Amino acid sequence: YRRQRQMCIRDRYMILLLVSLAFTFVACDNDTEPGGTAVEKMAGDWWVTVNAFIDGKEVEDPFGAGHLQMSTYNTASNSETEMWLDDLGNFWEYKLKVNVNYAARTFSTTGFVDNVTYESKVKITDGKVLEKAATTPSGMPADSIVYMVQFDDDEDGLTYKVSGFRRTGFPADDF
């Protein structure tokens, strides 16, 4: 009986070993290419400033906010016709899906759309990402982002211009 029991235990370990090896071989598929997202050339973290148009004139940084970080990224559907635009709570607390023309690297909304962050509506116009059109504080070229934004809960009804460059990750380019 003892010998039979030892063989059963040994057989169980052998089966576990074979199953583990099978999973190892399945998990090590080297032919898979990771690829990118559908809007990868428009997605990223950005350092931006916000100007306002007051009485037809552009006023630089009217709230004294300085440089703010924001993000653009793909949606769950990973479509090249939409992406998320998110100020990360650094300006007006807005996060919304924008329509994308990926070939032209432009984005906007169709009128005012729901803000996911809180109950308000946001309108984005003239959004674009321009490859290597900005210069970082360290003097290196980087992609540029610029767009106009309006908020339905803005008592002054102003239009704001958000513009900046793609975050490089180098300390010399961070604020």
Side-chain angles (χ1 to χ4, degrees):
Y1 172 75
R2 185 174 191 180
R3 186 175 184 150
Q4 282 181 329
R5 187 168 180 234
Q6 285 177 339
M7 288 192 63
C8 282
I9 292 172
R10 193 177 311 141
D11 290 345
R12 286 183 186 162
Y13 284 123
M14 187 61 86
I15 290 171
L16 282 172
L17 176 66
L18 291 173
V19 169
S20 297
L21 285 173
F23 279 116
T24 302
F25 288 120
V26 170
C28 293
D29 180 7
N30 291 332
D31 295 335
T32 304
E33 292 293 324
T37 66
V39 293
E40 70 180 303
K41 291 186 179 183
M42 295 178 72
D45 293 326
W46 306 87
W47 283 112
V48 297
T49 56
V50 179
N51 294 347
F53 288 92
I54 302 173
D55 296 328
K57 295 181 181 167
E58 187 171 349
V59 177
E60 196 171 313
D61 195 12
F63 302 112
H67 298 277
L68 309 170
Q69 197 169 357
M70 61 157 300
S71 291
T72 54
Y73 43 93
N74 66 303
T75 62
S77 66
N78 196 28
S79 166
E80 68 176 28
T81 61
E82 65 181 1
M83 72 177 176
W84 285 104
L85 180 69
D86 188 346
D87 85 335
L88 306 173
N90 290 321
F91 176 57
W92 208 279
E93 294 187 45
Y94 59 96
K95 177 181 175 182
L96 63 144
K97 287 183 185 179
V98 293
N99 302 317
V100 170
N101 177 332
Y102 190 67
R105 305 288 189 266
T106 60
F107 59 94
S108 64
T109 60
T110 305
F112 282 89
V113 298
D114 289 333
N115 179 2
V116 175
T117 307
Y118 68 89
E119 288 187 32
S120 69
K121 293 192 181 277
V122 182
K123 180 179 178 182
I124 303 293
T125 57
D126 303 319
K128 55 189 133 193
V129 172
L130 304 166
E131 191 172 339
K132 298 189 189 305
T135 302
T136 66
S138 68
M140 298 302 296
D143 293 348
S144 169
I145 190 169
V146 62
Y147 60 93
M148 307 302 261
V149 60
Q150 293 175 295
F151 306 96
D152 74 339
D153 61 349
D154 182 1
E155 293 175 4
D156 298 318
L158 299 176
T159 298
Y160 301 92
K161 177 182 176 184
V162 179
S163 61
F165 64 92
R166 185 184 307 271
R167 185 171 181 262
T168 66
F170 294 112
D173 293 331
D174 284 344
F175 295 96

